[in-house]
Amino acid sequence: GENVEQHPSTLSVQEGDSAVIKCTYSDSASNYFPWYKQELGKGPQLIIDIRSNVGEKKDQRIAVTLNKTAKHFSLHITETQPEDSAVYFCAASRTGNNDMRFGAGTRLTVKP
Amino acid sequence: DTGVSQNPRHKITKRGQNVTFRCDPISEHNRLYWYRQTLGQGPEFLTYFQNEAQLEKSRLLSDRFSAERPKGSFSTLEIQRTEQGDSAMYLCASSFRTNEKLFFGSGTQLSVL
């Protein structure tokens, strides 16, 4: 089955700096890669996703890149703000599979 | 409100007791998922419904766990004879299509004493 690994487990940046979180996956058939943000006491919230037919996607300060050959994808947050502080999860799934696999999460702290 | 709703938000129970959680998905979503999340980990898939049919179960779902989705609307997850290892956040999610965006509820935090 699919295995998703996420790094780093914790990340601390100064407000205004960029943050990068990386994930690798094992199943070459995976074709959908979402990123979720989870704040304390809440469920994960989808912030951006990418499909395998696209190499990069951007939404304001958030971007995701995908390298299918290397089987890794990354989340980039620019101009970080204190409200970006949360736990971020990457995930991977493939068509026909209902079992979306999540990474272990990255706790991002943005210091004002 | 168009989000996924879960009740209760918190549940404290004694070992050996039965508990039941409820999930109301986004109304136009016919796909519903249950996940379990322990501290410091990502959500782990438990089971999946398409309308009222339970189509997939993880090996994590022991015989003490049962899920239903009568009439293809809300779903319940029951845990019988709870154990301390069942303590976790139980998350419900729904989607419009398979392999599509999952929308999660806020979860039910279960503590088994």
Side-chain angles (χ1 to χ4, degrees):
Chain A
E2 174 66 277
N3 183 44
V4 178
E5 295 191 356
Q6 183 171 347
H7 301 279
S9 56
T10 60
L11 179 59
S12 182
V13 300
Q14 287 295 136
E15 182 177 0
D17 287 351
S18 295
V20 181
I21 303 170
K22 299 181 179 181
C23 287
T24 61
Y25 60 98
S26 60
D27 185 354
S28 56
S30 289
N31 58 3
Y32 177 61
F33 307 93
W35 285 88
Y36 287 84
K37 176 183 180 182
Q38 188 172 27
E39 297 174 320
L40 196 62
K42 297 184 179 180
Q45 179 183 12
L46 179 72
I47 55 172
I48 195 167
D49 57 4
I50 192 169
R51 295 200 176 270
S52 58
N53 58 346
V54 175
E56 184 174 357
K57 185 176 178 180
K58 190 173 181 180
D59 183 4
Q60 299 182 350
R61 297 186 296 109
I62 295 174
V64 57
T65 58
L66 172 65
N67 184 325
K68 288 188 294 183
T69 303
K71 290 190 283 189
H72 68 69
F73 56 113
S74 301
L75 177 71
H76 305 253
I77 306 174
T78 58
E79 302 171 22
T80 53
Q81 302 167 3
E83 50 266 37
D84 294 329
S85 296
V87 179
Y88 291 81
F89 293 97
C90 62
S93 70
R94 59 181 172 85
T95 303
N97 190 338
N98 302 302
D99 179 2
M100 181 174 290
R101 295 295 181 100
F102 285 79
T106 296
R107 180 172 297 281
L108 173 65
T109 302
V110 180
K111 299 177 186 175
Chain B
D1 181 23
T2 58
V4 177
S5 176
Q6 289 189 249
N7 288 288
R9 291 294 311 277
H10 304 275
K11 180 70 177 178
I12 299 174
T13 190
K14 293 183 179 179
R15 190 175 50 188
Q17 297 294 306
N18 299 345
V19 294
T20 300
F21 312 139
R22 175 176 171 130
C23 170
D24 289 89
I26 294 171
S27 58
E28 61 266 29
H29 289 180
N30 56 16
R31 289 163 172 79
L32 185 147
Y33 307 77
W34 285 98
Y35 281 79
R36 182 173 69 185
Q37 185 178 26
T38 53
L39 200 62
Q41 297 298 316
E44 295 176 294
F45 171 79
L46 292 178
T47 190
Y48 157 73
F49 289 85
Q50 182 169 324
N51 299 311
E52 67 276 8
Q54 188 174 18
L55 298 184
E56 192 165 342
K57 291 192 233 182
S58 162
R59 65 180 185 277
L60 294 176
L61 212 65
S62 77
D63 292 345
R64 297 183 297 104
F65 287 68
S66 63
E68 295 183 342
R69 192 182 181 197
K71 302 178 183 178
S73 55
F74 71 92
S75 175
T76 59
L77 177 68
E78 180 183 16
I79 308 175
Q80 296 182 327
R81 306 181 302 282
T82 51
E83 302 174 355
Q84 287 184 328
D86 297 332
S87 295
M89 172 79 83
Y90 289 85
L91 293 163
C92 176
S94 68
S95 71
F96 187 58
R97 294 187 185 90
T98 302
N99 204 30
E100 275 279 351
K101 306 172 195 294
L102 289 184
F103 293 85
F104 283 89
S106 293
T108 294
Q109 182 66 53
L110 173 66
S111 298
V112 181
L113 305 178

